[in-house]
Amino acid sequence: MPYSVKIAKGDAKKAVARKRRHLRVRKRVNGTAERPRLVVTRSNRHIVAQVVNDKLGHTLASASTLESSLRTADGTKSDLSREVGKLVGERAKAAGVSTVVFDRAGYKYHGRIAAVADGAREAGLEF
């Protein structure tokens, strides 16, 4: 079944394709109280990771390269993404979450997205 996505003026084809992929992923991926969703949002400069319980609409833990501790850190964007994954994993464990569902939000599982996932696994999250 094809997905229709509204194309705003100036939207690039890549962005539209990512929105379609995101719709396909979100159709199957839901966060519950037992297994919340680890969603990753990426921009050209920063990356944000959140652990979300979709049933209640609550964010249980989050981490970002916008935080002051990571803003001053040195390294490549992939290195910082791994640190964001570790940080969100530690915060999720502190909130009592041990297993999550990974939501890549339509991005390819490659580069910074994979680095966040690896960092979260290093911190002890299972998915």
Coordinates of all heavy atoms in Angstrom, one line a residue, residues 29-123:
V29 N 6.0 0.0 15.2 CA 6.8 0.3 16.5 C 5.9 1.1 17.4 O 5.6 2.2 17.1 CB 8.1 1.0 16.2 CG1 8.8 1.3 17.5 CG2 9.0 0.1 15.3
N30 N 5.6 0.5 18.6 CA 4.9 1.3 19.6 C 5.6 1.1 21.0 O 6.1 0.0 21.3 CB 3.5 0.8 19.8 CG 2.5 1.5 18.9 OD1 2.7 2.7 18.7 ND2 1.5 0.9 18.4
G31 N 5.7 2.1 21.8 CA 6.3 2.0 23.1 C 5.2 1.8 24.1 O 4.2 2.4 24.2
T32 N 5.5 0.8 25.0 CA 4.6 0.5 26.1 C 5.3 0.7 27.4 O 6.4 1.1 27.4 CB 4.1 -1.0 26.0 OG1 5.3 -1.8 26.2 CG2 3.4 -1.3 24.7
A33 N 4.6 0.5 28.5 CA 5.2 0.7 29.8 C 6.3 -0.3 30.0 O 7.3 0.0 30.6 CB 4.1 0.6 30.9
E34 N 6.1 -1.6 29.6 CA 7.1 -2.6 29.7 C 8.3 -2.4 28.8 O 9.4 -2.8 29.1 CB 6.5 -4.0 29.5 CG 5.3 -4.4 30.4 CD 4.0 -3.8 29.8 OE1 3.8 -3.8 28.6 OE2 3.2 -3.4 30.6
R35 N 8.0 -2.0 27.6 CA 9.0 -1.8 26.6 C 8.8 -0.5 25.8 O 8.2 -0.4 24.8 CB 8.9 -3.0 25.6 CG 10.2 -3.2 24.8 CD 10.2 -4.5 24.2 NE 11.4 -4.5 23.3 CZ 11.7 -5.5 22.5 NH1 10.9 -6.5 22.3 NH2 12.8 -5.4 21.8
P36 N 9.3 0.6 26.4 CA 9.2 1.9 25.7 C 10.0 2.0 24.5 O 10.8 1.2 24.1 CB 9.6 2.9 26.8 CG 10.3 2.2 27.8 CD 10.0 0.7 27.7
R37 N 9.7 3.1 23.7 CA 10.3 3.3 22.4 C 11.5 4.3 22.6 O 11.4 5.3 23.2 CB 9.3 4.0 21.5 CG 9.7 4.3 20.1 CD 8.5 4.7 19.3 NE 7.7 5.8 19.9 CZ 7.7 7.0 19.4 NH1 8.5 7.4 18.4 NH2 7.0 7.9 20.0
L38 N 12.7 3.9 22.1 CA 13.9 4.7 22.0 C 13.9 5.4 20.6 O 14.2 4.7 19.6 CB 15.1 3.9 22.2 CG 16.5 4.6 22.0 CD1 16.6 5.8 23.0 CD2 17.6 3.7 22.2
V39 N 13.5 6.6 20.6 CA 13.4 7.4 19.3 C 14.6 8.3 19.1 O 15.0 8.9 20.1 CB 12.1 8.1 19.2 CG1 11.9 9.2 20.2 CG2 11.9 8.8 17.8
V40 N 15.1 8.3 17.9 CA 16.3 9.1 17.6 C 15.9 10.2 16.6 O 15.3 9.9 15.6 CB 17.5 8.2 17.1 CG1 18.7 9.1 16.7 CG2 17.8 7.2 18.1
T41 N 16.3 11.4 16.9 CA 16.0 12.5 15.9 C 17.4 13.1 15.6 O 18.2 13.4 16.5 CB 15.1 13.6 16.6 OG1 14.0 13.0 17.1 CG2 14.8 14.7 15.6
R42 N 17.6 13.3 14.3 CA 18.9 13.8 13.8 C 18.7 15.0 13.0 O 17.8 15.2 12.2 CB 19.5 12.6 12.9 CG 20.8 12.9 12.3 CD 21.3 11.7 11.5 NE 20.5 11.5 10.3 CZ 20.8 12.0 9.2 NH1 21.8 12.8 9.0 NH2 20.1 11.8 8.1
S43 N 19.7 15.9 13.2 CA 19.8 17.1 12.3 C 21.2 17.1 11.7 O 22.0 16.2 12.0 CB 19.5 18.4 13.0 OG 20.6 18.7 13.8
N44 N 21.6 18.0 10.9 CA 22.9 18.0 10.4 C 24.0 18.2 11.4 O 25.1 17.8 11.3 CB 23.1 19.1 9.3 CG 22.4 18.8 8.0 OD1 22.2 17.6 7.7 ND2 22.1 19.8 7.2
R45 N 23.6 18.9 12.5 CA 24.6 19.3 13.5 C 24.4 18.5 14.9 O 25.4 18.2 15.5 CB 24.5 20.7 13.8 CG 25.6 21.3 14.6 CD 25.4 22.8 14.6 NE 26.6 23.5 14.8 CZ 26.8 24.7 14.9 NH1 25.8 25.5 14.8 NH2 28.0 25.3 15.1
H46 N 23.2 18.2 15.2 CA 22.9 17.6 16.5 C 22.1 16.3 16.4 O 21.6 16.0 15.4 CB 22.1 18.6 17.4 CG 22.9 19.8 17.7 ND1 23.9 19.8 18.6 CD2 22.8 21.1 17.3 CE1 24.4 21.1 18.7 NE2 23.7 21.9 17.9
I47 N 22.0 15.6 17.6 CA 21.2 14.4 17.6 C 20.6 14.3 19.0 O 21.1 14.7 20.0 CB 22.1 13.1 17.4 CG1 21.2 11.9 17.1 CG2 23.1 12.9 18.5 CD1 21.9 10.9 16.2
V48 N 19.3 13.9 19.0 CA 18.5 13.8 20.2 C 18.0 12.4 20.4 O 17.5 11.8 19.4 CB 17.3 14.8 20.2 CG1 16.5 14.7 21.4 CG2 17.8 16.2 20.0
A49 N 18.0 11.8 21.6 CA 17.5 10.5 21.8 C 16.5 10.5 23.0 O 16.9 11.2 24.0 CB 18.6 9.5 22.1
Q50 N 15.4 9.9 22.9 CA 14.4 9.9 23.9 C 13.8 8.5 24.1 O 13.6 7.8 23.2 CB 13.2 10.9 23.6 CG 13.6 12.3 23.5 CD 12.4 13.1 23.1 OE1 11.5 12.7 22.4 NE2 12.3 14.4 23.6
V51 N 13.5 8.2 25.4 CA 12.8 7.0 25.7 C 11.4 7.4 26.0 O 11.2 8.1 27.0 CB 13.5 6.2 26.9 CG1 12.7 5.0 27.2 CG2 14.9 5.9 26.5
V52 N 10.4 6.9 25.2 CA 9.0 7.4 25.3 C 8.1 6.2 25.6 O 8.2 5.2 24.9 CB 8.6 8.1 24.0 CG1 7.2 8.6 24.0 CG2 9.6 9.2 23.7
N53 N 7.1 6.4 26.5 CA 6.0 5.5 26.7 C 4.8 6.1 25.9 O 4.3 7.1 26.3 CB 5.7 5.4 28.2 CG 4.5 4.5 28.5 OD1 3.8 4.1 27.6 ND2 4.3 4.3 29.8
D54 N 4.5 5.5 24.8 CA 3.5 6.0 23.9 C 2.1 5.8 24.5 O 1.2 6.6 24.2 CB 3.5 5.3 22.6 CG 4.7 5.7 21.8 OD1 5.1 6.9 21.8 OD2 5.3 4.8 21.1
K55 N 1.8 4.9 25.4 CA 0.5 4.7 26.0 C 0.1 5.9 26.8 O -1.0 6.4 26.8 CB 0.5 3.4 26.8 CG 0.7 2.2 26.1 CD -0.5 1.4 25.8 CE -0.1 0.2 25.1 NZ -1.1 -0.7 24.7
L56 N 1.1 6.4 27.6 CA 0.8 7.6 28.4 C 1.3 8.9 27.8 O 0.9 10.0 28.3 CB 1.5 7.4 29.8 CG 1.1 6.2 30.6 CD1 2.0 6.1 31.9 CD2 -0.3 6.3 31.0
G57 N 2.1 8.8 26.8 CA 2.6 10.0 26.2 C 3.7 10.7 27.0 O 3.8 11.9 27.0
H58 N 4.5 9.9 27.8 CA 5.5 10.5 28.7 C 6.9 10.2 28.1 O 7.1 9.1 27.6 CB 5.4 9.9 30.1 CG 4.2 10.3 30.8 ND1 4.2 11.4 31.6 CD2 2.9 9.8 30.9 CE1 3.0 11.6 32.1 NE2 2.2 10.6 31.7
T59 N 7.8 11.1 28.3 CA 9.2 10.9 28.0 C 9.8 10.5 29.3 O 9.8 11.2 30.3 CB 9.9 12.2 27.5 OG1 9.2 12.5 26.3 CG2 11.3 11.9 27.2
L60 N 10.4 9.3 29.3 CA 11.0 8.7 30.5 C 12.5 9.1 30.7 O 13.0 9.3 31.8 CB 10.9 7.2 30.5 CG 9.5 6.6 30.3 CD1 9.6 5.1 30.1 CD2 8.6 7.0 31.4
A61 N 13.2 9.3 29.6 CA 14.6 9.7 29.6 C 15.0 10.3 28.3 O 14.4 10.0 27.3 CB 15.5 8.5 29.9
S62 N 15.9 11.3 28.3 CA 16.4 11.9 27.1 C 17.8 12.3 27.2 O 18.3 12.5 28.3 CB 15.5 13.1 26.7 OG 15.7 14.1 27.6
A63 N 18.5 12.5 26.1 CA 19.8 13.0 26.0 C 20.0 13.6 24.7 O 19.3 13.3 23.7 CB 20.8 11.9 26.2
S64 N 20.9 14.6 24.6 CA 21.1 15.3 23.4 C 22.5 15.9 23.3 O 23.1 16.1 24.3 CB 20.1 16.5 23.3 OG 20.4 17.4 22.3
T65 N 23.0 16.2 22.1 CA 24.2 16.9 22.0 C 24.1 18.4 22.3 O 25.1 19.1 22.3 CB 24.8 16.8 20.5 OG1 23.8 17.2 19.6 CG2 25.2 15.3 20.2
L66 N 22.9 18.8 22.5 CA 22.6 20.2 22.9 C 22.9 20.5 24.4 O 23.0 21.6 24.8 CB 21.2 20.6 22.6 CG 20.8 20.6 21.1 CD1 19.3 20.7 20.9 CD2 21.5 21.9 20.5
E67 N 23.1 19.4 25.2 CA 23.4 19.6 26.6 C 24.8 20.2 26.7 O 25.7 19.9 25.9 CB 23.3 18.2 27.3 CG 21.9 17.6 27.3 CD 21.9 16.2 27.9 OE1 22.9 15.8 28.5 OE2 20.9 15.6 27.7
S68 N 25.0 20.9 27.8 CA 26.2 21.6 28.0 C 27.4 20.7 28.1 O 28.5 21.0 27.7 CB 26.1 22.5 29.2 OG 25.9 21.8 30.4
S69 N 27.2 19.5 28.7 CA 28.4 18.6 28.9 C 28.8 18.1 27.5 O 30.0 17.8 27.4 CB 28.0 17.5 29.8 OG 26.9 16.7 29.2
L70 N 27.9 17.9 26.6 CA 28.3 17.4 25.3 C 28.6 18.5 24.2 O 29.3 18.2 23.2 CB 27.2 16.4 24.7 CG 27.0 15.1 25.5 CD1 25.9 14.4 24.9 CD2 28.3 14.3 25.4
R71 N 28.1 19.7 24.5 CA 28.4 20.8 23.6 C 29.9 21.1 23.5 O 30.5 21.4 22.5 CB 27.7 22.0 24.0 CG 26.4 22.2 23.3 CD 25.8 23.6 23.6 NE 24.6 23.8 23.0 CZ 24.4 24.4 21.8 NH1 25.5 24.7 21.1 NH2 23.2 24.6 21.3
T72 N 30.6 21.0 24.7 CA 32.0 21.3 24.8 C 32.9 20.1 24.5 O 34.1 20.3 24.4 CB 32.3 21.8 26.2 OG1 31.9 20.9 27.2 CG2 31.5 23.1 26.5
A73 N 32.3 18.9 24.3 CA 33.1 17.7 24.1 C 33.7 17.7 22.7 O 33.1 18.3 21.7 CB 32.2 16.5 24.3
D74 N 34.9 17.1 22.6 CA 35.6 17.0 21.3 C 35.3 15.7 20.7 O 34.9 14.7 21.4 CB 37.1 17.2 21.5 CG 37.5 18.6 21.8 OD1 36.7 19.5 21.5 OD2 38.5 18.8 22.4
G75 N 35.4 15.6 19.4 CA 35.2 14.3 18.7 C 34.3 14.5 17.5 O 33.8 15.6 17.2
T76 N 34.2 13.5 16.7 CA 33.4 13.5 15.5 C 31.9 13.4 15.9 O 31.6 13.1 17.1 CB 33.7 12.4 14.6 OG1 33.4 11.1 15.2 CG2 35.1 12.4 14.1
K77 N 31.0 13.7 15.0 CA 29.6 13.6 15.3 C 29.2 12.2 15.6 O 28.3 12.0 16.5 CB 28.8 14.1 14.1 CG 28.9 15.6 13.8 CD 27.9 16.1 12.8 CE 28.4 15.8 11.4 NZ 27.5 16.5 10.4
S78 N 29.8 11.2 15.1 CA 29.5 9.8 15.4 C 30.0 9.5 16.9 O 29.3 8.8 17.6 CB 30.2 8.8 14.5 OG 29.6 8.9 13.2
D79 N 31.1 10.0 17.3 CA 31.6 9.9 18.7 C 30.6 10.5 19.6 O 30.3 9.9 20.7 CB 33.0 10.5 18.8 CG 34.1 9.8 18.0 OD1 33.8 8.6 17.6 OD2 35.1 10.4 17.8
L80 N 30.2 11.7 19.3 CA 29.2 12.4 20.2 C 27.9 11.6 20.2 O 27.2 11.5 21.3 CB 29.0 13.8 19.8 CG 30.2 14.7 19.9 CD1 29.9 16.1 19.4 CD2 30.6 14.8 21.4
S81 N 27.5 11.0 19.1 CA 26.2 10.2 19.0 C 26.3 9.0 19.9 O 25.4 8.6 20.6 CB 25.9 9.8 17.6 OG 25.8 10.9 16.8
R82 N 27.5 8.4 20.0 CA 27.7 7.2 20.9 C 27.6 7.7 22.3 O 27.0 7.0 23.1 CB 29.1 6.6 20.6 CG 29.3 5.3 21.4 CD 30.7 4.7 21.1 NE 30.7 4.2 19.7 CZ 30.3 2.9 19.4 NH1 30.0 2.1 20.4 NH2 30.4 2.5 18.2
E83 N 28.1 8.9 22.6 CA 28.0 9.4 24.0 C 26.5 9.7 24.4 O 26.1 9.4 25.5 CB 28.8 10.7 24.2 CG 30.3 10.4 24.1 CD 30.8 9.4 25.2 OE1 30.4 9.5 26.3 OE2 31.6 8.5 24.8
V84 N 25.8 10.2 23.4 CA 24.3 10.4 23.6 C 23.6 9.1 23.9 O 22.8 9.0 24.8 CB 23.7 11.2 22.4 CG1 22.2 11.1 22.5 CG2 24.2 12.6 22.3
G85 N 24.0 8.1 23.2 CA 23.4 6.8 23.4 C 23.7 6.2 24.8 O 22.8 5.7 25.5
K86 N 25.0 6.4 25.2 CA 25.3 5.9 26.6 C 24.6 6.7 27.6 O 24.1 6.1 28.6 CB 26.9 6.1 26.8 CG 27.7 5.2 26.0 CD 29.2 5.5 26.3 CE 30.1 4.6 25.4 NZ 31.5 5.0 25.6
L87 N 24.5 8.0 27.4 CA 23.8 8.9 28.4 C 22.3 8.5 28.5 O 21.8 8.4 29.6 CB 24.0 10.3 28.0 CG 23.8 11.4 29.0 CD1 24.8 11.1 30.2 CD2 24.2 12.8 28.4
V88 N 21.6 8.4 27.4 CA 20.2 8.0 27.4 C 20.0 6.6 28.0 O 19.1 6.4 28.7 CB 19.5 8.2 26.0 CG1 19.8 7.1 25.1 CG2 18.0 8.3 26.2
G89 N 21.0 5.7 27.7 CA 20.9 4.4 28.3 C 21.0 4.4 29.8 O 20.3 3.7 30.5
E90 N 22.0 5.2 30.3 CA 22.1 5.3 31.8 C 20.9 5.9 32.4 O 20.4 5.5 33.5 CB 23.4 6.1 32.1 CG 24.7 5.5 31.7 CD 25.9 6.4 31.7 OE1 25.7 7.6 32.0 OE2 27.0 6.0 31.4
R91 N 20.4 7.0 31.8 CA 19.2 7.6 32.4 C 18.0 6.7 32.3 O 17.1 6.8 33.2 CB 18.9 8.9 31.6 CG 20.0 10.0 31.9 CD 19.8 11.2 31.1 NE 20.9 12.2 31.4 CZ 21.0 13.3 30.7 NH1 20.2 13.6 29.7 NH2 22.0 14.1 31.0
A92 N 17.8 5.9 31.3 CA 16.7 5.0 31.2 C 16.8 3.9 32.3 O 15.8 3.5 32.9 CB 16.7 4.4 29.8
K93 N 18.1 3.4 32.5 CA 18.3 2.4 33.5 C 17.9 3.0 34.9 O 17.3 2.3 35.7 CB 19.7 1.9 33.5 CG 20.1 1.1 32.3 CD 19.4 -0.2 32.2 CE 20.3 -1.2 32.9 NZ 19.8 -2.6 32.7
A94 N 18.3 4.3 35.1 CA 17.9 4.9 36.4 C 16.4 5.1 36.5 O 15.9 5.1 37.6 CB 18.6 6.3 36.4
A95 N 15.7 5.2 35.4 CA 14.2 5.3 35.4 C 13.5 4.0 35.5 O 12.3 3.9 35.5 CB 13.8 6.1 34.2
G96 N 14.3 2.9 35.5 CA 13.8 1.6 35.7 C 13.4 0.9 34.3 O 12.7 -0.1 34.3
V97 N 14.0 1.3 33.3 CA 13.8 0.7 31.9 C 15.0 -0.1 31.6 O 16.1 0.4 31.6 CB 13.6 1.8 30.9 CG1 13.4 1.2 29.5 CG2 12.4 2.7 31.2
S98 N 14.8 -1.4 31.2 CA 15.9 -2.2 30.8 C 15.8 -2.7 29.3 O 16.8 -2.9 28.7 CB 16.0 -3.5 31.7 OG 14.8 -4.2 31.6
T99 N 14.6 -2.8 28.8 CA 14.4 -3.1 27.4 C 13.6 -2.1 26.7 O 12.7 -1.5 27.2 CB 13.7 -4.5 27.2 OG1 12.4 -4.4 27.8 CG2 14.5 -5.6 27.8
V100 N 14.0 -1.8 25.4 CA 13.3 -0.8 24.6 C 13.1 -1.3 23.2 O 13.6 -2.3 22.8 CB 14.1 0.6 24.5 CG1 14.2 1.2 25.9 CG2 15.5 0.3 23.9
V101 N 12.3 -0.5 22.4 CA 12.1 -0.8 21.0 C 12.8 0.4 20.3 O 12.5 1.5 20.7 CB 10.6 -0.8 20.7 CG1 10.4 -0.9 19.2 CG2 9.8 -1.9 21.4
F102 N 13.6 0.1 19.4 CA 14.4 1.1 18.7 C 13.6 1.7 17.5 O 13.2 1.0 16.6 CB 15.8 0.6 18.2 CG 16.7 1.7 17.8 CD1 17.2 2.6 18.6 CD2 17.0 1.7 16.4 CE1 18.1 3.6 18.2 CE2 17.9 2.7 16.0 CZ 18.4 3.6 16.9
D103 N 13.4 3.0 17.6 CA 12.7 3.7 16.5 C 13.7 4.6 15.8 O 14.1 5.6 16.3 CB 11.6 4.5 17.1 CG 10.8 5.3 16.0 OD1 11.1 5.1 14.8 OD2 10.0 6.1 16.4
R104 N 14.1 4.3 14.6 CA 15.1 5.0 13.9 C 14.5 6.2 13.1 O 15.2 7.0 12.5 CB 15.9 4.1 12.9 CG 15.0 3.4 11.9 CD 15.8 2.4 11.1 NE 14.9 1.7 10.2 CZ 14.6 2.0 9.0 NH1 15.1 3.1 8.5 NH2 13.8 1.3 8.3
A105 N 13.2 6.4 13.2 CA 12.5 7.5 12.6 C 12.7 7.7 11.1 O 12.8 8.8 10.6 CB 12.8 8.8 13.4
G106 N 12.8 6.6 10.4 CA 13.0 6.7 9.0 C 14.4 6.9 8.5 O 14.7 6.8 7.3
Y107 N 15.3 7.1 9.4 CA 16.7 7.3 9.0 C 17.3 5.9 8.8 O 16.9 4.9 9.4 CB 17.5 8.0 10.1 CG 17.1 9.3 10.4 CD1 16.4 9.6 11.6 CD2 17.2 10.4 9.5 CE1 16.0 10.9 11.9 CE2 16.8 11.7 9.8 CZ 16.2 11.9 11.0 OH 15.7 13.2 11.3
K108 N 18.3 5.8 7.9 CA 19.0 4.5 7.7 C 19.8 4.1 8.9 O 20.3 5.0 9.6 CB 19.9 4.6 6.5 CG 19.2 4.8 5.2 CD 20.2 4.9 4.1 CE 19.5 5.2 2.7 NZ 20.4 5.3 1.6
Y109 N 19.8 2.8 9.2 CA 20.5 2.3 10.4 C 22.0 2.3 10.0 O 22.6 1.3 9.6 CB 20.1 1.0 10.8 CG 20.7 0.5 12.1 CD1 20.1 0.9 13.3 CD2 21.8 -0.3 12.1 CE1 20.7 0.4 14.5 CE2 22.4 -0.7 13.3 CZ 21.8 -0.4 14.5 OH 22.4 -0.8 15.6
H110 N 22.6 3.5 10.1 CA 24.0 3.7 9.6 C 24.6 4.9 10.3 O 23.8 5.8 10.6 CB 23.9 3.8 8.1 CG 25.2 4.1 7.4 ND1 26.1 3.1 7.2 CD2 25.8 5.2 6.9 CE1 27.2 3.6 6.6 NE2 27.0 4.9 6.4
G111 N 25.9 4.9 10.5 CA 26.5 6.1 11.0 C 26.1 6.5 12.3 O 26.2 5.8 13.3
R112 N 25.6 7.8 12.5 CA 25.2 8.3 13.8 C 24.0 7.6 14.4 O 24.0 7.4 15.6 CB 24.9 9.8 13.7 CG 26.1 10.6 13.3 CD 25.8 12.1 13.5 NE 25.1 12.6 12.3 CZ 24.4 13.7 12.3 NH1 24.2 14.4 13.4 NH2 23.7 14.1 11.2
I113 N 23.1 7.1 13.6 CA 22.0 6.4 14.2 C 22.4 5.1 14.8 O 22.1 4.7 15.9 CB 20.9 6.1 13.1 CG1 20.4 7.4 12.5 CG2 19.7 5.3 13.7 CD1 19.8 8.4 13.4
A114 N 23.3 4.3 14.1 CA 23.9 3.1 14.6 C 24.7 3.4 15.8 O 24.8 2.6 16.8 CB 24.7 2.4 13.5
A115 N 25.4 4.5 15.9 CA 26.3 4.9 17.0 C 25.5 5.1 18.3 O 25.9 4.7 19.4 CB 27.1 6.1 16.7
V116 N 24.3 5.7 18.1 CA 23.4 5.9 19.3 C 22.9 4.5 19.8 O 22.9 4.3 21.0 CB 22.2 6.8 18.9 CG1 21.1 6.8 20.0 CG2 22.6 8.2 18.6
A117 N 22.6 3.7 18.9 CA 22.1 2.3 19.3 C 23.2 1.6 20.0 O 23.0 0.9 21.0 CB 21.6 1.5 18.1
D118 N 24.5 1.6 19.5 CA 25.6 1.0 20.1 C 25.9 1.5 21.5 O 26.2 0.8 22.4 CB 26.8 1.1 19.2 CG 26.7 0.3 17.9 OD1 25.8 -0.6 17.8 OD2 27.4 0.6 16.9
G119 N 25.8 2.8 21.6 CA 26.0 3.5 22.9 C 25.0 3.1 23.9 O 25.3 2.8 25.1
A120 N 23.7 3.0 23.5 CA 22.7 2.6 24.4 C 22.9 1.1 24.8 O 22.6 0.8 26.0 CB 21.3 2.8 23.7
R121 N 23.3 0.3 23.9 CA 23.6 -1.1 24.3 C 24.7 -1.2 25.2 O 24.7 -2.1 26.2 CB 23.9 -2.0 23.0 CG 22.6 -2.3 22.2 CD 23.0 -3.2 21.1 NE 21.8 -3.4 20.2 CZ 21.7 -2.9 19.0 NH1 22.7 -2.2 18.5 NH2 20.6 -3.1 18.3
E122 N 25.8 -0.4 25.0 CA 26.9 -0.4 26.0 C 26.5 0.0 27.4 O 27.0 -0.5 28.4 CB 28.0 0.6 25.5 CG 28.8 0.1 24.3 CD 29.7 1.1 23.8 OE1 30.1 2.1 24.6 OE2 30.2 1.0 22.7
A123 N 25.5 0.9 27.5 CA 25.0 1.3 28.8 C 24.0 0.3 29.4 O 23.7 0.4 30.6 CB 24.2 2.6 28.6

